[in-house]
mmCIF file of all heavy atoms in Angstrom:
data_model
loop_
_atom_site.group_PDB
_atom_site.id
_atom_site.type_symbol
_atom_site.label_atom_id
_atom_site.label_comp_id
_atom_site.label_asym_id
_atom_site.label_seq_id
_atom_site.Cartn_x
_atom_site.Cartn_y
_atom_site.Cartn_z
ATOM 1 N N ALA A 957 -23.469 -54.074 6.167
ATOM 2 C CA ALA A 957 -24.686 -53.425 5.688
ATOM 3 C C ALA A 957 -25.857 -53.907 6.528
ATOM 4 O O ALA A 957 -25.868 -55.044 7.026
ATOM 5 C CB ALA A 957 -24.922 -53.733 4.216
ATOM 6 N N VAL A 958 -26.864 -53.039 6.686
ATOM 7 C CA VAL A 958 -28.052 -53.346 7.488
ATOM 8 C C VAL A 958 -29.277 -52.941 6.682
ATOM 9 O O VAL A 958 -29.322 -51.866 6.084
ATOM 10 C CB VAL A 958 -28.039 -52.572 8.829
ATOM 11 C CG1 VAL A 958 -29.316 -52.856 9.617
ATOM 12 C CG2 VAL A 958 -26.810 -52.922 9.652
ATOM 13 N N ALA A 959 -30.296 -53.829 6.687
ATOM 14 C CA ALA A 959 -31.573 -53.515 6.048
ATOM 15 C C ALA A 959 -32.698 -53.829 7.020
ATOM 16 O O ALA A 959 -32.603 -54.774 7.818
ATOM 17 C CB ALA A 959 -31.745 -54.306 4.756
ATOM 18 N N ALA A 960 -33.769 -53.043 6.978
ATOM 19 C CA ALA A 960 -34.924 -53.248 7.849
ATOM 20 C C ALA A 960 -36.188 -53.241 7.015
ATOM 21 O O ALA A 960 -36.326 -52.443 6.085
ATOM 22 C CB ALA A 960 -34.995 -52.148 8.911
ATOM 23 N N THR A 961 -37.098 -54.164 7.309
ATOM 24 C CA THR A 961 -38.371 -54.217 6.583
ATOM 25 C C THR A 961 -39.237 -53.034 7.005
ATOM 26 O O THR A 961 -38.991 -52.404 8.041
ATOM 27 C CB THR A 961 -39.114 -55.531 6.895
ATOM 28 O OG1 THR A 961 -39.399 -55.565 8.303
ATOM 29 C CG2 THR A 961 -38.269 -56.743 6.500
ATOM 30 N N PRO A 962 -40.280 -52.710 6.206
ATOM 31 C CA PRO A 962 -41.178 -51.604 6.584
ATOM 32 C C PRO A 962 -41.777 -51.788 7.972
ATOM 33 O O PRO A 962 -41.913 -50.803 8.715
ATOM 34 C CB PRO A 962 -42.256 -51.637 5.492
ATOM 35 C CG PRO A 962 -41.550 -52.196 4.296
ATOM 36 C CD PRO A 962 -40.594 -53.228 4.839
ATOM 37 N N ALA A 963 -42.107 -53.020 8.324
ATOM 38 C CA ALA A 963 -42.693 -53.257 9.659
ATOM 39 C C ALA A 963 -41.681 -52.944 10.751
ATOM 40 O O ALA A 963 -42.037 -52.416 11.817
ATOM 41 C CB ALA A 963 -43.164 -54.708 9.759
ATOM 42 N N ALA A 964 -40.419 -53.290 10.502
ATOM 43 C CA ALA A 964 -39.377 -53.005 11.497
ATOM 44 C C ALA A 964 -39.181 -51.500 11.650
ATOM 45 O O ALA A 964 -39.033 -50.988 12.781
ATOM 46 C CB ALA A 964 -38.066 -53.677 11.089
ATOM 47 N N VAL A 965 -39.169 -50.782 10.537
ATOM 48 C CA VAL A 965 -39.028 -49.328 10.599
ATOM 49 C C VAL A 965 -40.206 -48.730 11.352
ATOM 50 O O VAL A 965 -40.047 -47.814 12.177
ATOM 51 C CB VAL A 965 -38.924 -48.732 9.175
ATOM 52 C CG1 VAL A 965 -38.951 -47.206 9.224
ATOM 53 C CG2 VAL A 965 -37.650 -49.210 8.483
ATOM 54 N N GLU A 966 -41.423 -49.269 11.079
ATOM 55 C CA GLU A 966 -42.624 -48.775 11.760
ATOM 56 C C GLU A 966 -42.528 -48.969 13.265
ATOM 57 O O GLU A 966 -43.015 -48.154 14.050
ATOM 58 C CB GLU A 966 -43.852 -49.503 11.193
ATOM 59 C CG GLU A 966 -45.169 -49.024 11.747
ATOM 60 C CD GLU A 966 -45.536 -47.615 11.287
ATOM 61 O OE1 GLU A 966 -45.048 -47.191 10.227
ATOM 62 O OE2 GLU A 966 -46.310 -46.950 12.001
ATOM 63 N N SER A 967 -41.856 -50.050 13.668
ATOM 64 C CA SER A 967 -41.732 -50.339 15.103
ATOM 65 C C SER A 967 -40.582 -49.579 15.762
ATOM 66 O O SER A 967 -40.339 -49.750 16.954
ATOM 67 C CB SER A 967 -41.544 -51.841 15.313
ATOM 68 O OG SER A 967 -40.279 -52.261 14.812
ATOM 69 N N GLY A 968 -39.864 -48.751 14.980
ATOM 70 C CA GLY A 968 -38.835 -47.906 15.585
ATOM 71 C C GLY A 968 -37.411 -48.268 15.232
ATOM 72 O O GLY A 968 -36.466 -47.599 15.677
ATOM 73 N N VAL A 969 -37.189 -49.290 14.411
ATOM 74 C CA VAL A 969 -35.832 -49.665 14.016
ATOM 75 C C VAL A 969 -35.288 -48.637 13.011
ATOM 76 O O VAL A 969 -35.992 -48.225 12.096
ATOM 77 C CB VAL A 969 -35.809 -51.078 13.395
ATOM 78 C CG1 VAL A 969 -34.434 -51.379 12.800
ATOM 79 C CG2 VAL A 969 -36.169 -52.118 14.445
ATOM 80 N N LYS A 970 -34.026 -48.252 13.202
ATOM 81 C CA LYS A 970 -33.360 -47.337 12.270
ATOM 82 C C LYS A 970 -32.053 -47.981 11.829
ATOM 83 O O LYS A 970 -31.113 -48.125 12.612
ATOM 84 C CB LYS A 970 -33.072 -45.986 12.929
ATOM 85 C CG LYS A 970 -34.301 -45.215 13.357
ATOM 86 C CD LYS A 970 -33.905 -43.869 13.930
ATOM 87 C CE LYS A 970 -35.131 -43.081 14.369
ATOM 88 N NZ LYS A 970 -35.878 -43.729 15.467
#
Side-chain angles (χ1 to χ4, degrees):
V958 177
T961 62
V965 173
E966 184 69 24
S967 68
V969 172
K970 297 183 180 64

